[in-house]
């Protein structure tokens, strides 16, 4: 018999899969796709991609031979990570079944959530109470999964961590499982795993990586998103500039809050600089937002910002319209110029070159749509020079805002139909699409607070809500 320990016994296993992508059995993958009810034709496509892969050897800078694989998934393609996740779903379901059986007890800190494991790609964390039945349930379940899938534990990289477990039980379990006892802390997905509470310093490396990645993606994909809306951006704050502005708040306190102890200490070092600034005597109230505006380089305003950002526009319509006004849509014409797509004809009409102007205003489909929408609004909306027409149009701000909502809805829905036509071979008739847009906008208009509108604007909106097509 094993001696009882004072601390509630618990066990955690950090398991690394040996050559995970290279060892998955193809039959197992096909069975998983079938069990998850993927269509047979889709399964055939997937297995064709997987099983026809060939490999060459790079020896002294020269390529030799083509070798056909017998198992495993190619790394570097976008598809294998998804297929690997499907395979790991089998382990999840096995663990759910085995840990629900009699005799298994959860890790004391995981029992409320009935959590037995965490996984990310080929890194696994397995949890159980530190007793023999529970720990052996985990090992037996993984052995079943391994025998079926072909995935095996890398013993050199896998460790077991214990607390409150009897030394004899621990030794027996390590001998049976082939694991080695590990010591805390260790890192999982870049975050330290330890017995004490994580602090800011523990998470800083991971946060720095995430921020750097977000900043890189933002610079590459939406470089103009950090500008104010009036300048053609999304109004998103740039983290580096905002941080500088926040530091500016501390600087402002230094020169305006002399009674603070830490300010007195800092002023001993900054006395000369303090003589050169007049914020402390000018009555200027520093805020981080003001500081952010001060250090951000201003850009010329764009006339179309008022057309995109208003309360009447459905937000998803405004976002796509914003991309349109920046000319950043991946039309076939643009892809053709980049050498990505050989065909530059319109996905809808199949006749003219698919430029932005053609797709949204010159294509017979778009023209018919705008004509139907204009009839609902009682306007003759031009398809040529639409932006200039909108900016030069007179009328109340409410009427202009609703007109913008209509134009943005047309841009969004034409782009949506273009993509459906290309990828799903489906295209809704312009008149039917116009009715769909009309009904969606009616829902939007009804949901907005119109109590402060002038009578003529309210009457006009009520007319639109009553009118059909």
């Amino acid at each position: 018999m094993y001696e009882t320990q004072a601390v509630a016994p618990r066990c955690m296993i950090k398991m690394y899969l040996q050559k995970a992508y290279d060892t998955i059995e193809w039959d197992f993958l096909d069975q998983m796709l079938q069990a998850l009810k993927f269509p047979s034709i889709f399964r055939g496509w997937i297995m064709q991609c997987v099983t026809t892969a060939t490999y060459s050897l790079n020896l002294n800078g020269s390529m030799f031979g083509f070798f056909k694989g017998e198992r495993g998934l190619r790394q570097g393609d976008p598809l294998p990570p998804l297929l690997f996740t499907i395979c790991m779903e089998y382990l999840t379901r096995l663990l759910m079944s085995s840990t629900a059986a009699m005799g298994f007890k959860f890790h004391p800190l995981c029992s409320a959530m009935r959590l037995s494991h965490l996984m990310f790609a080929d890194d696994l964390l397995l949890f159980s109470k530190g007793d023999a039945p529970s720990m052996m349930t985990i090992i037996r379940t993984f052995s079943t999964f391994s025998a079926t899938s072909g995935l095996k534990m890398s013993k050199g990289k896998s460790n077991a961590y214990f607390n409150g477990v009897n030394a004899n039980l621990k030794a027996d379990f390590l001998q049976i499982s082939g694991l080695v006892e590990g010591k805390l802390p260790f890192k999982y997905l870049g975050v330290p795993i330890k017995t004490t509470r994580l602090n800011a310093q523990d998470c800083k490396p991971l946060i720095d990586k995430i921020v750097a990645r977000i900043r890189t993606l933002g610079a590459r994909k939406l470089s103009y998103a950090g500008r104010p809306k009036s300048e053609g951006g999304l109004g998103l704050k740039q983290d580096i500039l905002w941080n500088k502005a926040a530091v500016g708040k501390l600087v402002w306190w230094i020169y305006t809050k002399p009674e603070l102890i830490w300010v007195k200490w800092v002023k001993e070092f900054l006395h000369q600089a303090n003589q050169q600034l007049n914020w402390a005597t000018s009555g200027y109230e520093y805020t981080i937002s003001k500081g952010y505006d001060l250090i951000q380089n201003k850009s010329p305003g764009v006339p179309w910002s008022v057309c995109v950002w208003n309360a009447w526009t459905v937000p998803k319509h405004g976002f796509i319209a914003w991309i349109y006004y920046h000319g950043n849509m991946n039309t076939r014409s643009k892809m053709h110029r980049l050498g990505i797509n050989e065909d530059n004809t319109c996905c809808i009409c199949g006749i003219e070159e698919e430029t932005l102007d053609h797709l949204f205003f010159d294509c017979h489909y778009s023209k018919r749509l705008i004509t139907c929408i204009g009839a609902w609004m009682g306007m003759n909306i031009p398809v040529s020079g639409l932006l200039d027409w909108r900016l030069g149009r007179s009328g109340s701000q409410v009427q202009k805002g609703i007109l913008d909502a209509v134009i943005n809805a047309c841009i969004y829905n034409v782009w949506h139909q273009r993509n459906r036509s290309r990828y799903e071979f489906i295209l809704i008739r312009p008149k039917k699409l116009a009715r769909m847009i009309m009904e969606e906008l009616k829902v939007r208009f009804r949901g907005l607070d119109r109590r402060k509108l002038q009578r003529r604007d309210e009457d006009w909106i009520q007319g639109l809500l009553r009118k059909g097509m």
Side-chain angles (χ1 to χ4, degrees):
M1 295 294 291
Y2 300 116
E3 297 177 3
T4 303
Q5 302 297 306
V7 179
R10 69 280 311 267
C11 172
M12 177 176 64
I13 299 173
K14 183 181 186 293
M15 187 178 292
Y16 183 80
L17 300 180
Q18 181 179 7
K19 297 182 178 180
Y21 278 70
D22 298 333
T23 56
I24 289 180
E25 297 290 348
W26 289 343
D27 289 342
F28 170 69
L29 172 60
D30 190 38
Q31 291 169 8
M32 281 299 300
L33 293 172
Q34 184 175 1
L36 294 175
K37 302 187 184 305
F38 282 86
S40 58
I41 187 173
F42 182 79
R43 283 175 31 227
W45 293 340
I46 294 297
M47 297 310 299
Q48 185 73 8
C49 292
V50 170
T51 59
T52 57
T54 57
Y55 304 89
S56 300
L57 295 179
N58 188 332
L59 184 61
N60 295 329
S62 300
M63 302 299 293
F64 293 91
F66 290 93
F67 305 93
K68 190 177 185 302
E70 295 182 354
R71 62 178 179 176
L73 302 172
R74 289 179 295 182
Q75 298 190 49
D77 292 346
L79 186 59
L82 304 176
L83 299 179
F84 185 81
T85 300
I86 289 175
C87 293
M88 296 304 292
E89 175 66 16
Y90 182 56
L91 176 59
T92 294
R93 299 195 181 196
L94 282 178
L95 287 168
M96 290 176 61
S97 175
S98 61
T99 57
M102 294 289 292
F104 180 84
K105 295 182 176 60
F106 288 93
H107 189 290
L109 298 180
C110 303
S111 57
M113 297 181 292
R114 301 183 66 82
L115 179 67
S116 63
H117 67 288
L118 294 173
M119 69 172 67
F120 183 83
D122 51 3
D123 279 329
L124 302 177
L125 288 181
L126 303 163
F127 312 98
S128 74
K129 188 174 181 179
D131 57 38
S134 301
M135 294 190 296
M136 290 310 301
T137 294
I138 293 289
I139 292 300
R140 282 195 299 267
T141 301
F142 181 81
S143 296
T144 301
F145 169 74
S146 180
T148 308
S149 66
L151 295 170
K152 301 185 183 300
M153 174 180 65
S154 178
K155 295 184 179 180
K157 297 181 179 180
S158 302
N159 300 96
Y161 301 84
F162 306 94
N163 193 8
V165 177
N166 175 271
N168 294 331
L169 172 58
K170 184 192 306 183
D172 289 347
F173 176 73
L174 293 174
Q175 182 179 9
I176 294 171
S177 65
L179 293 163
V180 177
E181 183 175 5
K183 302 295 183 183
L184 296 176
F186 66 86
K187 286 189 176 181
Y188 182 71
L189 304 182
V191 178
I193 304 298
K194 58 183 187 178
T195 56
T196 57
R197 185 184 298 273
L198 293 178
N199 54 39
Q201 192 61 34
D202 293 327
C203 300
K204 187 177 185 303
L206 178 60
I207 294 174
D208 289 344
K209 288 182 180 179
I210 294 174
V211 171
R213 180 62 175 164
I214 292 173
R215 190 178 299 139
T216 300
L217 289 174
R220 186 165 64 238
K221 299 294 185 182
L222 295 174
S223 59
Y224 34 74
R227 309 304 312 175
K229 291 179 179 179
S230 61
E231 298 174 10
L234 284 178
L236 303 178
K237 293 292 188 291
Q238 300 178 52
D239 59 310
I240 295 178
L241 293 185
W242 187 259
N243 183 64
K244 289 181 179 179
V247 172
K249 179 73 172 182
L250 300 179
V251 175
W252 181 75
W253 272 344
I254 289 174
Y255 295 110
T256 60
K257 306 289 184 181
E259 70 279 4
L260 298 179
I261 297 297
W262 73 270
V263 170
K264 293 179 180 179
W265 178 77
V266 172
K267 280 189 173 181
E268 291 294 326
F269 296 91
L270 300 177
H271 178 71
Q272 292 183 356
N274 188 32
Q275 302 300 317
Q276 301 175 9
L277 298 176
N278 62 357
W279 277 3
T281 58
S282 65
Y284 179 87
E285 178 69 22
Y286 184 94
T287 65
I288 297 177
S289 295
K290 289 179 180 178
Y292 182 83
D293 292 337
L294 184 66
I295 62 179
Q296 184 186 42
N297 294 326
K298 286 291 184 181
S299 298
V302 292
W304 49 260
S305 64
V306 296
C307 303
V308 175
W309 310 115
N310 59 71
W312 302 97
T313 294
V314 177
K316 64 180 181 180
H317 298 171
F319 181 75
I320 296 300
W322 175 72
I323 296 177
Y324 160 77
Y325 281 117
H326 273 288
N328 202 32
M329 286 181 158
N330 292 331
T331 60
R332 277 189 164 182
S333 177
K334 178 181 178 180
M335 294 295 101
H336 180 73
R337 291 196 304 271
L338 295 175
I340 298 175
N341 189 14
E342 294 182 358
D343 188 0
N344 66 350
T345 57
C346 176
C347 292
I348 295 179
C349 71
I351 301 175
E352 302 292 334
E353 181 180 358
E354 190 184 83
T355 63
L356 286 176
D357 287 341
H358 167 79
L359 181 62
F360 293 104
F361 304 111
D362 295 336
C363 182
H364 67 82
Y365 185 89
S366 302
K367 288 181 178 179
R368 178 60 178 159
L369 174 65
I370 293 174
T371 299
C372 293
I373 289 292
W376 170 54
M377 298 189 68
M379 295 181 183
N380 183 20
I381 302 177
V383 294
S384 179
L386 179 60
L387 179 59
D388 292 337
W389 173 81
R390 156 60 187 90
L391 294 175
R393 184 174 175 80
S394 60
S396 69
Q397 292 301 316
V398 172
Q399 293 182 12
K400 291 180 180 179
I402 291 179
L403 178 58
D404 293 333
V406 170
I407 295 173
N408 295 335
C410 288
I411 292 174
Y412 172 90
N413 281 278
V414 168
W415 183 245
H416 181 63
Q417 290 303 311
R418 177 263 187 195
N419 292 333
R420 293 195 70 189
S421 176
R422 179 177 182 182
Y423 299 109
E424 302 177 35
F425 308 104
I426 297 173
L427 185 64
I428 298 176
R429 291 181 293 107
K431 189 171 183 179
K432 181 178 179 181
L433 181 59
R435 286 197 296 266
M436 294 170 58
I437 292 174
M438 177 186 68
E439 294 302 324
E440 183 176 18
L441 291 178
K442 283 183 178 181
V443 172
R444 178 72 174 177
F445 299 161
R446 290 191 184 99
L448 294 176
D449 186 1
R450 308 197 306 270
R451 289 175 295 182
K452 296 182 180 180
L453 297 184
Q454 296 183 9
R455 181 62 180 269
R456 61 174 182 174
D457 290 331
E458 177 61 23
D459 290 343
W460 185 59
I461 293 174
Q462 287 296 338
L464 292 178
L465 295 178
R466 290 192 299 266
K467 191 174 180 181
M469 186 179 296

